[in-house]
Structure formats: C-alpha cells, structure tokens
Amino acid sequence: AQSVTQLGSHVSVSEGALVLLRCNYSSSVPPYLFWYVQYPNQGLQLLLKYTSAATLVKGINGFEAEFKKSETSFHLTKPSAHMSDAAEYFCAVSEGFGNEKLTFGTGTRLTIIP
Amino acid sequence: KAGVTQTPRYLIKTRGQQVTLSCSPISGHRSVSWYQQTPGQGLQFLFEYFSETQRNKGNFPGRFSGRQFSNSRSEMNVSTLELGDSALYLCASLDRQETQYFGPGTRLLVL
C-alpha cells in the first residue's frame, strides 16, 4: 500500500525567503509523485510530477522538487517566496502506469509574511 | 483546450435525499477519477472510470456510485445523503502521461 506524509500542516515564511515543504512517501513499487496546489475555493492545480526520469523536477511558478529514493522523500522548494504563493499544497503518490488512484498527504498550508 | 468542468459548483441538500454531480473531462481524456475532500479526512479517492468501465474503487459505501458515458463525461451519485457527506467533490481527468488534471469541484452541503 502506498502512503504520503507531509510534515507540518502550517508553514509560514517571509516574502523573499526560501520555501521548503516536506513530503515523505511509502510505496511498494517505484512511485509516481506529484505536488498540487489549491487556492481557496478552487480545485487542485498541478505544480510538478516525478515519473522516474530526472530526480530534480522543475515545475510551474518557480517551484522544484527532488526525488531522493534513499530518504523516500520528495520535498518541494522555491528559492524566493512571493505573496501569491499563499495556498495549500498537497503531495500525492500513485503506483505508476495503470494505477490511476492518487493517494494524497494531509496538506500544508503556506502563509507568506509581508 | 478547455479544462475539466464540473456542474453544479454548489449544492445544498437535506439528509436522506440523493444527488448527482457531473464532470466533463478534458477533450481526448478517457479516464475520469472522483475524489472527496473534507477537513477531517482530507482528499480521498472514490472511483475511476475508463471507457465506461469502473477500473478502480476506493473505500466508500455503496451509497456512492458513478458512471461514465461514451463521450467520457462522468456522473457521480450519492443516495440517502448523510451530514458527513458534506464535502468538496473533485473530478480529475487523466492524460496519456498519467497526470491527473482537476476540475474546480462541486461543494455539497447536506443539512
């Protein structure tokens, strides 16, 4: 069975500071990993995904994530936070091709301090 | 391309009623998945349809059902509504690269 753990339900950073949102996964097979963002009263928007190609994945809005198999981690980072990054972020795992079920973490709410 | 669309966006029902939600996937996408989002349980997978067949199912009671039509549009039905069914219901369509694209959701309130 697959699972995702997001450390920190709330993270606050100052505008211009580094954003680091943590995600650890558990999967019995090589996983597909995703980060989604959700703004208030909206659906989920894909930020980036890992599908066993390059371990450093670049996404939209300046975000990137690094797949570390030894640490079973897929942390999301952004060098410089912007006010518009305030939202809830979800890490998700699927067991790859042929398994369309996404298992989500509990989410991290990111607050940007002016 | 137009994104995933869901109707209605908001719905208020009373306990015991039933409800049907609709989802139109991105053009060309044949797989549609449904998720329930609540503050207590987070995002949970309901089921997934491909070419009018249910391929995957989550751990929800039989009151939750779905179907998919030949044009890939999908509907989700919840019968005998309970207060705990109040949630944001999200639909997603899957592209050939195994990426799910989500719609804006239908917010259901059960009174």
Side-chain angles (χ1 to χ4, degrees), chain A residues 40-113:
Chain A
N41 299 315
Q42 294 187 27
L44 302 175
Q45 180 182 8
L46 179 69
L47 280 176
L48 49 81
K49 65 178 181 179
Y50 166 78
T51 56
S52 76
T55 56
L56 182 61
V57 182
K58 293 188 183 299
I60 63 171
N61 301 340
F63 284 94
E64 63 182 37
E66 186 172 8
F67 172 74
K68 291 187 177 180
K69 184 178 178 180
S70 60
E71 298 177 8
T72 60
S73 68
F74 190 57
H75 301 331
L76 182 71
T77 60
K78 181 174 180 177
S80 177
H82 191 273
M83 295 300 293
S84 62
D85 295 327
E88 189 148 22
Y89 292 79
F90 293 92
C91 181
V93 62
S94 79
E95 291 186 350
F97 193 85
N99 186 326
E100 288 67 37
K101 171 187 172 183
L102 283 176
T103 299
F104 285 89
T106 50
T108 297
R109 184 168 299 280
L110 177 65
T111 300
I112 310 298
I113 304 166

Side-chain angles (χ1 to χ4, degrees), chain B residues 3 5 7 10 15 20 22 26 31 57 62 64 75 81 86 93 102:
Chain B
T5 58
T7 56
Y10 302 93
R15 280 183 300 173
T20 299
S22 180
I26 293 170
S31 166
K57 188 176 188 306
F64 291 81
E75 287 183 347
L81 283 166
S86 295
S93 69
F102 285 80

Side-chain angles (χ1 to χ4, degrees), chain A residues 32 34 36 38 41-44 46 49 51 88 90 96-102 104-105, chain B residues 9 31 33 35 37 43 45 48 55-56 88 90 94 97-104 107:
Chain A
Y32 285 15
F34 305 82
Y36 285 88
Q38 186 176 36
N41 299 315
Q42 294 187 27
L44 302 175
L46 179 69
K49 65 178 181 179
T51 56
E88 189 148 22
F90 293 92
F97 193 85
N99 186 326
E100 288 67 37
K101 171 187 172 183
L102 283 176
F104 285 89
Chain B
R9 291 293 311 278
S31 166
S33 295
Y35 294 83
Q37 185 178 24
L43 281 152
F45 173 79
E48 183 252 349
R55 287 198 301 190
N56 290 284
L88 180 67
L90 293 164
L94 187 75
Q97 286 73 46
E98 298 290 311
T99 299
Q100 296 196 20
Y101 294 89
F102 285 80
R107 189 165 295 279

Side-chain angles (χ1 to χ4, degrees), chain B residues 1-2 4 15 20-21 23 28 30-31 33 37 41 44 49 52 55 58 60-61 63 68 77 87 89 91 101 109:
Chain B
K1 269 186 181 178
V4 177
R15 280 183 300 173
T20 299
L21 312 181
C23 171
R30 295 165 62 190
S31 166
S33 295
Q37 185 178 24
Q41 299 299 316
Q44 294 184 288
Y49 286 86
E52 303 178 64
R55 287 198 301 190
F60 278 81
R63 300 186 297 107
Q68 188 180 33
N77 184 275
Y89 290 89
C91 159
Y101 294 89
L109 177 62

